Amino acid sequence: MSAFHILLVDDDRLVLATLEKGLKNAGYLVTTAESGDQALQQAAEKPFDLAILDICMPGQSGIETARILRERFDIPGLFLSAYNEEDTVQQAVMGGGLGYVVKPVDAPQLIPAVESALARARDLRALIDTKKQLEQALSGQRKNSVAVGILMERRGLAEAEAFETLRATARSSNRKLDELSRELVDALERVNTL
């Protein structure tokens, strides 16, 4: 198992010490925090693969802390709680939690939930990366289509001829088609604003 770095957040020192020891024995790197504010400080100083947070803490709740950790530092969260009420579970899920474990819990019980949350976080990151790549590809395709349309209108070419002209120009100037298309569209937009 690779040494994933876990941020363990709970206001109960006994829970922290017990789970920290068990997680370390299982091969994880563990950093502890006794409050949401302390957790945010830790996250600002070093990267974490997962945060395990108690939901009910004085001051900032675990759900609010998890939201900030996810938005600012891209750290996924797994929740611990003494309560298994439907409302609390719903809040945790809506807060982006990748899992929910009811206390009391010991490390052997927690590790499968941790492994599942880490796997789900990897899957979500891969989906987000794929989405970004698809959005970039679609954006490039739109620019290519607009550039082809410009050439069709300006030079009176058929679509296939306009595309081939664009592609040949990109090749002869040793540039990417998307880059040339973007430049052509941007240039026309600048001219149209004059």
Side-chain angles (χ1 to χ4, degrees):
M1 172 189 325
S2 125
F4 290 104
H5 198 168
I6 295 177
L7 176 58
L8 182 61
V9 188
D10 200 310
D11 59 321
D12 184 328
R13 289 182 180 177
L14 181 59
V15 170
L16 273 181
T18 304
L19 292 180
E20 176 185 22
K21 182 179 178 188
L23 290 168
K24 282 183 175 180
N25 287 341
Y28 297 102
L29 297 172
V30 181
T31 299
T32 62
E34 294 180 20
S35 69
D37 289 336
Q38 206 176 58
L40 295 174
Q41 271 182 321
Q42 293 283 4
E45 294 172 8
K46 56 189 129 190
F48 293 95
D49 298 296
L50 180 69
I52 302 173
L53 306 102
D54 182 23
I55 289 180
C56 296
M57 294 185 291
Q60 187 168 272
S61 76
I63 292 173
E64 179 62 17
T65 302
R67 183 188 64 75
I68 296 169
L69 287 171
R70 189 181 65 255
E71 289 174 1
R72 284 191 198 161
F73 307 105
D74 194 27
I75 301 171
L78 170 68
F79 292 109
L80 296 175
S81 181
Y83 309 99
N84 65 353
E85 298 161 354
E86 191 175 325
D87 237 18
T88 308
V89 173
Q90 239 356 65
Q91 283 181 330
V93 169
M94 296 305 288
L98 298 180
Y100 188 95
V101 179
V102 178
K103 291 197 255 183
V105 64
D106 58 12
Q109 294 170 311
L110 183 59
I111 289 169
V114 168
E115 285 298 312
S116 176
L118 288 167
R120 188 163 176 228
R122 278 190 304 272
D123 291 345
L124 288 172
R125 283 191 182 109
L127 285 173
I128 289 168
D129 290 345
T130 300
K131 179 185 175 211
K132 286 178 186 174
Q133 290 170 357
L134 288 172
E135 286 172 346
Q136 286 175 343
L138 285 173
S139 175
Q141 292 241 324
R142 277 189 221 111
K143 292 284 186 185
N144 290 345
S145 294
V146 172
V148 166
I150 291 169
L151 289 175
M152 288 170 63
E153 189 266 330
R154 297 287 169 139
R155 294 193 176 174
L157 299 173
E159 183 178 0
E161 291 173 306
F163 179 76
E164 191 50 47
T165 300
L166 188 64
R167 189 168 67 169
T169 304
R171 269 194 206 140
S172 68
S173 60
N174 203 23
R175 298 172 66 196
K176 292 183 178 180
L177 183 64
D178 292 348
E179 179 185 309
L180 182 61
S181 295
R182 183 175 46 254
E183 199 173 284
L184 178 61
V185 171
D186 291 347
L188 183 63
E189 287 175 354
R190 280 194 301 275
V191 167
N192 287 339
T193 60
L194 296 176

